[in-house]
Amino acid sequence: MSELSAAFVRLHARLAPVAFVPEVLLHQADEPIGLWELTEGEFRSSQPPPFWAFAWAGGQGLARYVTDHPDVVAGRRVLDLASGSGLVAVAAARAGAAAVRAVEVDERAVAAVALNAEANGVRVDAELGDILDSDAGDAEVVLAGDVFYSEAMARRMLRFLLRAARSGARVLVGDPGRAFLPRERFHELAAYDVPVSEALESVRVKHTTVWELDPNPPGARR
């Protein structure tokens, strides 16, 4: 990871337990709006918003599920897409995954993932890049928290996840009711009421569902 990016993460985020998954420590921003403006998070530049500095509801729900159901990942190769802080990746590593690969398009997020893995005493291979037009490699489980927040992202993400599922990977998604989740392609595994930052979400709790992707077309015979 870049030393400059790592220094930025350490300066602007404090290591603390995650609200809904206190078993995991993350570098988290105390005051989100100032950091968002500092990194020009309203898409005024090419710098991605600081998604890595917060424990988003979808990621918290998915990390909780993996922590409570370690058999989902234990002994398996795991891919965490759009990893952000690395919360889900760290949870998978703690639950006994054989290997965890966390992919992000933001160099600061890659640094945050590496720092958070180190803080939790687990190994996560943090990778910088956009792989959504590719495939999941040798992953046996693909995890994605809070990735259906825009129409364009949702289309690309669904295509990737379907390719992974049709290649034999188990695909789990954590989502707090984002508008672009194609619910007809998933079945529910669990639901939680997850504490979130009111400054980011305008509420203090988000009802969050963990879904598993069905690779078959809606209505198709199984």
Side-chain angles (χ1 to χ4, degrees):
M1 63 177 161
S2 159
E3 284 302 320
L4 187 61
S5 292
F8 187 92
V9 171
R10 291 190 186 99
L11 178 63
H12 294 285
R14 177 175 56 88
L15 193 64
V18 176
F20 199 59
V21 197
E23 300 93 330
V24 176
L25 298 172
L26 288 186
H27 288 82
Q28 302 170 71
D30 289 323
E31 200 288 298
I33 303 306
L35 178 59
W36 204 277
E37 292 175 347
L38 177 65
T39 57
E40 296 191 319
E42 296 176 357
F43 299 96
R44 292 190 295 269
S45 77
S46 59
Q47 175 64 44
F51 294 131
W52 54 266
F54 313 104
W56 298 88
Q60 288 197 69
L62 188 53
R64 182 74 266 159
Y65 186 83
V66 167
T67 297
D68 293 342
H69 302 84
D71 55 296
V72 171
V73 298
R76 295 179 171 87
R77 296 181 298 276
V78 174
L79 170 63
D80 179 28
L81 278 173
S83 188
S85 65
L87 167 58
V88 176
V90 168
R94 291 186 73 258
V100 182
R101 176 188 178 203
V103 179
E104 252 295 342
V105 297
D106 181 358
E107 185 175 325
R108 289 171 181 163
V110 172
V113 172
L115 290 172
N116 289 330
E118 181 181 13
N120 287 276
V122 296
R123 175 173 177 175
V124 172
D125 295 321
E127 176 182 325
L128 180 66
D130 182 343
I131 65 169
L132 291 185
D133 294 325
S134 181
D135 58 48
D138 65 355
E140 298 169 281
V141 180
V142 176
L143 304 173
D146 227 327
V147 294
F148 291 96
Y149 53 82
S150 75
E151 187 173 7
M153 178 67 161
R155 284 197 303 266
R156 295 188 68 212
M157 183 62 67
L158 180 61
R159 287 195 295 267
F160 180 95
L161 296 178
L162 283 170
R163 287 195 299 274
R166 288 166 181 165
S167 296
R170 189 175 183 190
V171 176
L172 273 61
V173 167
D175 187 87
R178 303 300 183 199
F180 300 102
L181 174 74
R183 289 168 181 79
E184 71 280 0
R185 305 306 300 255
F186 293 85
H187 65 267
E188 181 177 326
L189 296 178
Y192 308 102
D193 290 323
V194 178
V196 294
S197 166
E198 189 172 11
L200 289 173
E201 298 280 16
S202 301
V203 295
R204 293 185 177 180
V205 174
K206 293 284 283 187
H207 188 71
T208 300
T209 304
V210 176
W211 305 90
E212 182 164 4
L213 179 63
D214 185 343
N216 300 297
R221 290 183 180 179
R222 291 177 175 84

